[in-house]
Amino acid sequence: APAPVPAGPVDTVTPEQRAAWERVALCEEGGDWSADGGRFSGGLGITRANWTAYGGGAYAPEGAMATEDQQIMVAERIEPSAPDQYGCHGW
C-alpha cells in the first residue's frame, strides 16, 4: 500500500514567488528572515497577530522561527500577490 500522505500544509512556493517576496524581505528587514521585533516577526514584517490569524502557528510560534517558504505562504494568505516592491509593505 502507498504510504499515507502527511496531513498539513504543502510547500507550494514557486521560484517566482520566492524571488518577489525576497525583494519584500530585503525592503522590510534588510533580507533578514529571522528578524524579530516587538510587533513584527520574520523577514516580511508580518505582525504577530496576523501570523497567528493566518495560520502561521502551524509552522512556528512566530515568523522569525519559521522557514523562508513558510513565511511566504503565510504572507500569501494575507496578500495573494507580492507587492511590487519599491517601498516597504508592513502588515
Side-chain angles (χ1 to χ4, degrees), residues 20-21 23-25 27-28 82-89:
W21 287 105
R23 286 193 296 274
V24 178
C27 179
E28 285 289 345
D84 184 12
Q85 254 338 100
Y86 292 103
C88 287
H89 198 276

Side-chain angles (χ1 to χ4, degrees), residues 10-38:
V10 176
D11 182 347
T12 59
V13 178
T14 67
E16 294 77 20
Q17 288 170 313
R18 190 172 295 112
W21 287 105
E22 282 175 350
R23 286 193 296 274
V24 178
L26 197 59
C27 179
E28 285 289 345
E29 301 294 347
D32 179 2
W33 290 89
S34 61
D36 201 10

Side-chain angles (χ1 to χ4, degrees), residues 40-51:
F40 301 97
S41 187
L44 299 175
I46 300 172
T47 65
R48 294 175 194 283
N50 275 346
W51 179 259

Side-chain angles (χ1 to χ4, degrees), residues 36-85:
D36 201 10
R39 187 164 164 243
F40 301 97
S41 187
L44 299 175
I46 300 172
T47 65
R48 294 175 194 283
N50 275 346
W51 179 259
T52 302
Y54 286 88
Y59 305 121
E62 57 187 52
M65 296 176 173
T67 68
E68 177 180 332
D69 281 7
Q70 289 167 343
Q71 293 180 47
I72 291 169
M73 287 187 282
V74 173
E76 294 212 323
R77 294 175 193 162
I78 301 169
E79 175 72 56
S81 56
D84 184 12
Q85 254 338 100

